[in-house]
Amino acid sequence: MITRMSSLFLRTLRDDPADAEVPSHKLLVRAGYVRRVAPGGYSWLPLGLRVLRRIEQIVREEMDAMGGQEIQFPALLPREPYEATNRWTEYGESLFRLKDRRGADYLLGPTHEELFTLTVKGEYNSYRDFPVVLYQVQTKYRDEARPRAGILRGREFLMKDSYSFDLSDEGLAESYQRHRDTYIRIFDRLGLSYVIVSAMSGAMGGSASEEFLADAPTGEDTFVRSTESDYAANVEAVVTPAPPARPVEDQPAAQVHHTPDTPTIETLVNFLNAAGLDRTFTAADTLKNVLVKVRAPGSDKAELLAVAVPGDREVDAKRLEAAVYPAEVALLEEADFTANPFLVKGYIGPKALQDNGVRYLVDPRVVTGTAWVTGADKVDHHVVDLVCGRDFTPDGTIDVADVREGDPSPDGHGTLVAARGIEIGHIFQLGRKFADAFGLDALGVDGKPIRITMGSYGIGVSRLVAAIAEQSHDEHGLVWPRAVAPADVHLVIAGKDESIREGAERLAGQLDAAGLSVMLDDRTATPGVKFADAELIGVPTIVVVGRGLAKGVVEVKDRASGERVEVAVDEAVAHLTGLVRG
Amino acid sequence: MITRMSSLFLRTLRDDPADAEVPSHKLLVRAGYVRRVAPGGYSWLPLGLRVLRRIEQIVREEMDAMGGQEIQFPALLPREPYEATNRWTEYGESLFRLKDRRGADYLLGPTHEELFTLTVKGEYNSYRDFPVVLYQVQTKYRDEARPRAGILRGREFLMKDSYSFDLSDEGLAESYQRHRDTYIRIFDRLGLSYVIVSAMSGAMGGSASEEFLADAPTGEDTFVRSTESDYAANVEAVVTPAPPARPVEDQPAAQVHHTPDTPTIETLVNFLNAAGLDRTFTAADTLKNVLVKVRAPGSDKAELLAVAVPGDREVDAKRLEAAVYPAEVALLEEADFTANPFLVKGYIGPKALQDNGVRYLVDPRVVTGTAWVTGADKVDHHVVDLVCGRDFTPDGTIDVADVREGDPSPDGHGTLVAARGIEIGHIFQLGRKFADAFGLDALGVDGKPIRITMGSYGIGVSRLVAAIAEQSHDEHGLVWPRAVAPADVHLVIAGKDESIREGAERLAGQLDAAGLSVMLDDRTATPGVKFADAELIGVPTIVVVGRGLAKGVVEVKDRASGERVEVAVDEAVAHLTGLVRG
């Protein structure tokens, strides 16, 4: 295929778009791949659509190869199935809802578990039918609070979502592993650098779950990795190792101290260390009791919840949200303190909480036998040596303290360091949640029903265009991996001589005949403009047909390395075919 | 590619779905191509998706071949551009509207003229950039009042829409003609039988317009064609030829007659013929004045409009709607007669209408010099010999009388007969309506702006699946044309012997290696079940590997004709490749 730039619907831009912050967004707009239509809504211009389609094709090939069967659902979906799983409500504001002319409720599908479950239930009913993997490549909708970074986080985006249906947990584990392997093949073919992290489930509910994160300093997802092992996890998924419990008997008794002028952990610790007690305190010896309100989905009433973390840590809002999901978290207002006078602001301790029936959950480090400095439920007073398991008994643990670089890796090897990435894939063992909601069973050999167990697996196809661009660009523009480039060769006609034009046209024709796709810059622009555009557009191999042609040579430039070689025009087709076919 | 039916996500159904009325709907559901998800919303199961994709690919190839450049817009679009063209309002209830979390208005795109216009304006600005043709293959949304016939009229459907941008009317005519030629190639490749009819513009506004209608007795679109020429037109687009005007001087004077007991045209004509006047009257000599209310879009006020048609014709509601579009038509209520006492029900004549300022439009047959029997604005009275151009002067003509079989063809050749079809394509000279709305200009050679003129062209891609099925089926099931069939060959293993299974597997492997796609029925079902499913699914060539294999032959059956031939198994690949490659 030859794409003539003289008629290609493309205008490159010299300046970065005003609303762009990340490189992929700037470059995809400047190079004419996408255009903004609405907040989080982009149109794909010819070059962008080509890259998108090439990625889509790789995803499809690998999904077919692993035995997935492609189907396609509408994006406009009726409310009922999502009501049955409560996701009509759970999705909150991120669901686009609408009514049809008769007033019936619809939504724009953010993900399709309900429909796939119902469809399998409609067609299949015997153990012989399973396992089955179905997938679609389809437009999805989420009303993001902050659409950002161009197509990295849009409100309308292309996604591959697949679903596995198995008769047993072992079957699910196998389907999950096959998807994991398939995703590795896909992202490897796309030339991406990525990590696989343990993940929380988000709105999905279920058990095992991993995310594929493309390395990118501009990524929205923070994760941690071990300095010494393969361990990597979303911050929400980091499990803090609990220390061993200690005996409570030989510990000193709890003592209440008058601690005036200690509004912060730091002032409190300084006060105690100056008070002439028998040891030195650090912030890690104090226990901070943080009050929040938690509202279960569909409920009108918010309940108080107390969360205790060591004083040298903060409660991480994202980890807290993930921990209580699907309930929602809110901060306390003045009225809440008025309504609950036992809450002595700044001096809240476990006693008043538990005496007044407030659920009290503690950090995993707060094990039996650990002694803490904490509030004494009285203004200007703290209690020292309050021992867990002796002086108070938590209602359970909650792992929501912030995770820091230098924390021990949960797998016991090395310490954690922080990194950022772009979520490009998510694999997830849903289990029987959706099968339960819709009664999806298969009749077993013995004629008894077997409840199906499901997995759900997603790849952000349109987001991949941006993720690749984030990893593959330089100061001059985009640098596409061969597998997804909008053309194999970018052929620049550098010169006005008829002989140069003819030579370039002939070469383009030969490359086309050899099965290569050629972007031919046959515009009347200056060579400088053409070279700059070629760099910006990012086809991996740039061929310049110019004055050298008189000597029988063309220049072949590698976009990524910048290396240039002169190639005899007679050998150009063989040379370029070799480069492209690898 | 080999598709094994033992694991294919497919369950054929013995019975027609309860809600299905047309053959394509029944068969596409029974054969497992589509499933209903919501009113007018269908999922595509594996076989259906294959047919859809093959059609899409043919459309894309031909659009690329004619120089179209593919891009893609979101389906979720902001209100503003549609407000600028008034289509936010004009679309009425058939537009899906919604709000995002911030309360901003959005719509689901029913068609994308606005976005294409804005995009071209954003990228192009010189006469050198034009002409350009852009297209997309994209999911569209229309909140149909009556979604029907499965995927024939859905509320979410796949459409190819393209738009041409030209500097001149001649350029537009050329772009239009190129689209027309391209559509002919597409529909010919799909093996469809269709006609091209002159069409009204519907919600689009503009000038030349034609529809491609696939012949189908179940089609929603009525059209008329000439018995003796190629003339074909939507009923809305039929132009009634006007007879020549006649002199008014030599006509008898108008006379008011007392005509008691003549509530209908028939009784009136009988009364006049019995009244001893000098000639015989027919219904065609009478003039029926029909009152309606017409409301311009965005206006609160409806205006009275009087429409006069010969008494042997009815006002065709669809033709009337098309004629006054974008205004809306409503019938008069009792209150309207009370408010306008000059309207003497049953006896309305031109005089009272024109005396009271009611706009009065007449059928094209009502030319100067024609004499009519009509109401005398007085109960039980009619006027005879009321001459157009002498006794009354219409405000204009309106072509809304019903069109009938036997009417003369507007091109002067033959008479009209009625037929039904499915709209599969629509080509349309939009003109400058959208360019005007958004100020889309190109700078000319002389530096002066040239207003761009546009064409808009659509193909209902998902509807084509149903249209082809409507034309290509029999009592046993679907009969796909080769170009769109879900497989090239349907290979049935008919027998339980291991040798038969092995022979079939070997043949399938050889066909796959030869580049044919094979549906292999490797299920444990009986031959009878397999044959019935093969007929239902409709792959054009069915190969049966059964007992004949012992003699070295397989049976090759043509699905369309039912013809069977025995072919030596050694020659089967060559034979089948010959059939498929044509």
Side-chain angles (χ1 to χ4, degrees):
Chain A
M1 187 177 66
I2 301 176
T3 304
R4 291 178 181 278
M5 289 185 67
S6 59
S7 55
L8 180 62
F9 187 65
L10 171 77
R11 284 294 172 272
T12 56
L13 309 177
R14 202 169 303 171
D15 299 315
D16 289 334
D19 62 335
E21 288 166 10
V22 301
S24 65
H25 187 188
K26 291 177 188 170
L27 291 171
L28 290 169
V29 171
R30 280 188 50 208
Y33 283 67
V34 300
R35 288 288 180 263
R36 185 179 182 277
V37 168
Y42 283 77
S43 57
W44 296 88
L45 299 192
L47 297 185
L49 193 56
R50 279 195 205 173
V51 174
L52 180 68
R53 287 271 159 76
R54 291 195 76 177
I55 295 172
E56 187 181 334
Q57 186 53 28
I58 288 171
V59 170
R60 188 170 278 129
E61 284 169 15
E62 294 297 339
M63 286 306 301
D64 289 343
M66 70 89 81
Q69 301 189 55
E70 189 175 359
I71 68 177
Q72 187 148 34
F73 282 102
L76 180 67
L77 300 170
R79 169 177 178 164
E80 292 71 27
Y82 287 78
E83 195 64 77
T85 56
N86 202 34
R87 297 213 292 182
W88 174 264
T89 306
E90 272 180 28
Y91 262 111
E93 284 196 306
S94 45
L95 193 66
F96 282 110
R97 298 176 182 82
L98 66 160
K99 284 181 189 295
D100 74 358
R101 61 161 73 210
R102 289 165 190 210
D105 282 319
Y106 284 81
L107 59 94
L108 298 181
T111 171
H112 278 68
E113 279 77 2
E114 284 81 353
L115 277 292
F116 275 86
T117 309
L118 283 169
T119 297
V120 169
K121 184 180 159 81
E123 308 297 315
Y124 275 1
N125 55 30
S126 158
Y127 71 94
R128 290 191 206 87
D129 298 329
F130 295 89
V132 64
V133 172
L134 300 175
Y135 78 96
Q136 62 177 352
V137 180
Q138 208 238 15
T139 307
K140 298 266 188 284
Y141 296 85
R142 291 186 198 159
D143 194 355
E144 297 285 351
R146 282 173 299 278
R148 68 179 278 276
I151 53 171
L152 263 184
R153 183 171 288 279
R155 301 202 292 178
E156 172 169 345
F157 51 95
L158 192 66
M159 202 172 142
K160 187 284 299 175
D161 49 330
S162 50
Y163 305 88
S164 63
F165 298 84
D166 277 279
L167 295 168
S168 67
D169 293 347
E170 296 71 38
L172 169 56
E174 208 173 289
S175 294
Y176 181 89
Q177 186 61 40
R178 275 164 57 222
H179 268 92
R180 196 175 194 275
D181 295 342
T182 298
Y183 279 32
I184 289 172
R185 273 195 300 278
I186 290 169
F187 298 133
D188 285 351
R189 281 182 69 180
L190 296 176
L192 280 162
S193 159
Y194 60 95
V195 292
I196 306 175
V197 303
S198 300
M200 293 299 290
S201 50
M204 315 293 293
S207 44
S209 169
E210 287 167 294
E211 284 177 4
F212 290 72
L213 299 181
D215 292 305
T218 53
E220 271 199 308
D221 287 85
T222 316
F223 67 100
V224 289
R225 57 205 322 176
S226 166
T227 48
E228 287 176 25
S229 72
D230 282 344
Y231 178 86
N234 260 348
V235 170
E236 289 91 324
V238 171
V239 178
T240 305
R246 303 175 209 164
V248 297
E249 299 81 30
D250 50 352
Q251 311 240 17
Q255 289 178 291
V256 173
H257 288 259
H258 181 230
T259 53
D261 301 324
T262 58
T264 64
I265 300 282
E266 195 189 354
T267 50
L268 172 62
V269 166
N270 291 344
F271 181 93
L272 291 175
N273 285 336
L277 298 177
D278 57 345
R279 68 208 119 123
T280 306
F281 294 88
T282 70
D285 297 318
T286 68
L287 193 61
K288 192 154 58 176
N289 297 303
V290 177
L291 269 287
V292 292
K293 288 185 289 186
V294 168
R295 193 167 52 80
S299 158
D300 286 342
K301 222 185 107 221
E303 265 185 284
L304 284 181
L305 170 68
V307 168
V309 295
D312 61 336
R313 305 256 165 187
E314 300 299 326
V315 170
D316 180 317
K318 273 191 158 183
R319 278 164 61 79
L320 176 58
E321 274 171 26
V324 304
Y325 187 85
E328 289 183 355
V329 181
L331 298 178
L332 266 62
E333 292 153 27
E334 207 47 51
D336 296 303
F337 286 97
T338 314
N340 297 286
F342 61 91
L343 296 176
V344 184
K345 242 200 235 178
Y347 303 91
I348 298 171
K351 186 164 185 331
L353 294 170
Q354 299 202 283
D355 286 353
N356 287 281
V358 177
R359 204 166 143 73
Y360 186 58
L361 301 178
V362 300
D363 186 86
R365 295 170 191 88
V366 184
V367 293
T368 298
T370 50
W372 302 92
V373 177
T374 190
D377 298 315
K378 191 172 157 190
V379 172
D380 285 351
H381 287 76
H382 284 90
V383 56
V384 175
D385 283 328
L386 199 73
V387 172
C388 180
R390 181 189 74 184
D391 304 324
F392 68 100
T393 306
D395 294 316
T397 58
I398 188 164
D399 204 357
V400 296
D402 58 340
V403 174
R404 297 188 186 157
E405 299 212 357
D407 283 349
S409 176
D411 69 350
H413 300 290
T415 54
L416 298 178
V417 288
R420 300 185 77 88
I422 298 165
E423 184 186 335
I424 51 177
H426 191 177
I427 55 177
F428 191 73
Q429 297 192 18
L430 280 176
R432 296 181 175 80
K433 170 178 168 175
F434 290 89
D436 285 344
F438 298 107
L440 173 59
D441 291 328
L443 275 191
V445 195
D446 56 4
K448 287 183 189 158
I450 304 165
R451 182 62 31 110
I452 296 298
T453 181
M454 291 168 56
S456 147
Y457 316 89
I459 288 181
V461 178
S462 48
R463 174 181 287 181
L464 277 171
V465 177
I468 295 170
E470 282 296 321
Q471 290 192 352
S472 204
H473 68 270
D474 61 20
E475 68 275 26
H476 304 298
L478 297 158
V479 185
W480 294 109
R482 285 211 179 281
V484 303
D488 294 321
V489 170
H490 190 124
L491 206 164
V492 175
I493 305 179
K496 292 187 174 173
D497 292 2
E498 195 50 37
S499 63
I500 288 176
R501 178 163 293 269
E502 276 172 19
E505 291 276 356
R506 194 165 44 241
L507 179 55
Q510 290 163 344
L511 292 170
D512 179 41
L516 268 54
S517 82
V518 181
M519 183 109 76
L520 178 63
D521 197 344
D522 59 345
R523 297 176 299 172
T524 52
T526 64
V529 166
K530 290 184 178 186
F531 294 150
D533 274 351
E535 303 272 295
L536 181 59
I537 289 167
V539 171
T541 301
I542 300 167
V543 178
V544 183
V545 179
R547 285 194 204 149
L549 195 65
K551 301 182 299 179
V553 296
V554 297
E555 185 184 283
V556 176
K557 178 176 174 184
D558 184 74
R559 172 66 186 89
S561 67
E563 256 176 70
R564 299 153 191 265
V565 290
E566 288 204 333
V567 175
V569 68
D570 298 341
E571 289 158 24
V573 174
H575 180 84
L576 292 167
T577 308
L579 284 181
V580 171
R581 299 273 148 76
Chain B
M1 189 178 63
I2 301 176
T3 304
R4 292 179 181 277
M5 289 185 67
S6 58
S7 55
L8 180 63
F9 188 65
L10 171 77
R11 285 294 173 270
T12 57
L13 309 176
R14 202 169 300 171
D15 299 317
D16 289 334
D19 62 336
E21 285 166 11
V22 303
S24 64
H25 188 187
K26 290 176 188 171
L27 291 171
L28 289 170
V29 171
R30 279 188 52 208
Y33 283 66
V34 299
R35 289 288 179 262
R36 185 180 183 277
V37 169
Y42 282 78
S43 57
W44 296 88
L45 299 192
L47 297 184
L49 193 57
R50 280 195 204 172
V51 174
L52 180 67
R53 287 271 158 75
R54 292 195 75 176
I55 295 172
E56 188 180 334
Q57 187 52 27
I58 288 171
V59 170
R60 187 169 278 130
E61 283 169 16
E62 294 296 340
M63 286 306 301
D64 289 342
M66 69 90 80
Q69 299 190 56
E70 188 174 1
I71 67 176
Q72 188 148 32
F73 282 103
L76 180 67
L77 300 171
R79 170 177 176 164
E80 292 70 26
Y82 287 79
E83 195 66 75
T85 57
N86 202 34
R87 296 212 292 182
W88 174 264
T89 307
E90 272 180 28
Y91 261 111
E93 285 196 305
S94 44
L95 194 65
F96 281 110
R97 298 176 182 83
L98 67 160
K99 284 182 190 294
D100 74 358
R101 60 161 73 211
R102 289 166 191 211
D105 282 319
Y106 284 80
L107 58 95
L108 298 181
T111 173
H112 278 67
E113 280 76 3
E114 285 80 353
L115 277 293
F116 275 86
T117 309
L118 284 169
T119 296
V120 170
K121 184 181 161 78
E123 309 296 316
Y124 276 1
N125 55 29
S126 158
Y127 71 94
R128 289 190 205 87
D129 298 329
F130 296 89
V132 64
V133 172
L134 301 175
Y135 77 97
Q136 63 177 350
V137 180
Q138 207 238 14
T139 306
K140 297 266 189 286
Y141 296 85
R142 291 186 197 159
D143 195 355
E144 297 284 351
R146 282 173 299 278
R148 69 179 278 276
I151 53 171
L152 262 183
R153 181 171 290 277
R155 301 201 292 178
E156 172 169 344
F157 51 94
L158 192 66
M159 203 172 142
K160 186 285 299 176
D161 49 331
S162 49
Y163 305 87
S164 64
F165 298 84
D166 278 279
L167 294 167
S168 66
D169 294 346
E170 296 70 36
L172 169 57
E174 209 173 288
S175 295
Y176 181 90
Q177 186 62 39
R178 274 165 57 222
H179 268 93
R180 196 177 194 274
D181 295 343
T182 297
Y183 278 32
I184 289 171
R185 273 195 301 277
I186 289 169
F187 298 133
D188 285 352
R189 281 182 69 180
L190 296 175
L192 281 162
S193 159
Y194 61 93
V195 292
I196 305 174
V197 303
S198 301
M200 293 300 290
S201 51
M204 316 293 293
S207 45
S209 169
E210 288 168 293
E211 284 176 6
F212 290 72
L213 300 180
D215 292 306
T218 54
E220 271 199 307
D221 288 84
T222 317
F223 67 99
V224 289
R225 59 206 319 176
S226 165
T227 49
E228 287 177 25
S229 72
D230 282 343
Y231 178 85
N234 260 350
V235 171
E236 289 91 324
V238 171
V239 178
T240 305
R246 305 174 208 166
V248 298
E249 300 81 33
D250 50 352
Q251 308 240 19
Q255 289 179 294
V256 174
H257 288 258
H258 181 227
T259 54
D261 300 326
T262 59
T264 64
I265 299 282
E266 195 189 354
T267 51
L268 172 64
V269 167
N270 290 343
F271 179 95
L272 291 175
N273 284 337
L277 298 176
D278 57 345
R279 69 208 117 125
T280 306
F281 293 87
T282 70
D285 297 318
T286 69
L287 194 62
K288 195 154 56 177
N289 297 302
V290 178
L291 269 287
V292 292
K293 287 184 291 187
V294 169
R295 192 167 53 82
S299 160
D300 287 341
K301 223 184 106 218
E303 264 187 285
L304 283 181
L305 170 69
V307 168
V309 296
D312 62 336
R313 305 256 165 186
E314 301 299 328
V315 169
D316 181 315
K318 275 191 156 182
R319 278 164 62 79
L320 176 57
E321 273 170 27
V324 303
Y325 184 87
E328 288 183 355
V329 182
L331 298 178
L332 266 64
E333 291 153 28
E334 208 46 53
D336 296 304
F337 286 98
T338 314
N340 297 287
F342 62 89
L343 297 175
V344 184
K345 241 201 236 177
Y347 302 90
I348 298 172
K351 187 166 186 327
L353 293 170
Q354 300 201 281
D355 286 353
N356 288 280
V358 177
R359 203 165 143 74
Y360 186 59
L361 301 177
V362 300
D363 187 87
R365 296 169 190 88
V366 184
V367 293
T368 298
T370 50
W372 302 92
V373 178
T374 192
D377 299 314
K378 190 171 157 190
V379 173
D380 285 351
H381 286 76
H382 284 90
V383 57
V384 175
D385 282 329
L386 197 74
V387 171
C388 180
R390 181 189 72 187
D391 305 322
F392 68 99
T393 306
D395 295 315
T397 58
I398 188 165
D399 203 357
V400 297
D402 59 340
V403 175
R404 297 186 187 160
E405 298 212 357
D407 281 349
S409 176
D411 69 348
H413 301 289
T415 55
L416 296 178
V417 288
R420 300 185 76 88
I422 299 165
E423 185 186 335
I424 50 176
H426 191 178
I427 54 177
F428 192 73
Q429 297 191 18
L430 281 176
R432 297 181 176 78
K433 170 179 169 173
F434 290 90
D436 285 343
F438 298 107
L440 174 59
D441 290 329
L443 276 191
V445 194
D446 55 3
K448 289 186 187 155
I450 304 165
R451 182 64 30 114
I452 297 298
T453 180
M454 291 169 56
S456 147
Y457 316 89
I459 287 181
V461 178
S462 47
R463 176 181 285 181
L464 276 171
V465 177
I468 295 169
E470 282 296 320
Q471 288 192 354
S472 201
H473 67 270
D474 62 21
E475 67 275 28
H476 303 299
L478 297 159
V479 186
W480 294 109
R482 283 212 180 282
V484 302
D488 294 322
V489 170
H490 189 121
L491 205 164
V492 175
I493 304 178
K496 294 187 174 174
D497 293 1
E498 195 49 36
S499 63
I500 289 176
R501 177 164 293 269
E502 276 174 18
E505 290 278 356
R506 192 163 47 241
L507 179 54
Q510 291 164 344
L511 292 170
D512 178 40
L516 267 55
S517 82
V518 181
M519 183 110 75
L520 178 64
D521 197 344
D522 59 346
R523 297 176 298 172
T524 52
T526 64
V529 166
K530 292 184 177 185
F531 296 149
D533 275 350
E535 303 270 295
L536 181 59
I537 289 168
V539 172
T541 301
I542 300 167
V543 178
V544 182
V545 179
R547 284 193 205 149
L549 195 65
K551 299 182 301 177
V553 296
V554 299
E555 187 183 282
V556 175
K557 179 178 172 180
D558 183 73
R559 172 67 186 90
S561 69
E563 254 176 71
R564 299 153 193 265
V565 291
E566 288 202 333
V567 175
V569 68
D570 297 340
E571 289 158 23
V573 173
H575 180 85
L576 293 167
T577 308
L579 285 180
V580 171
R581 299 273 149 76

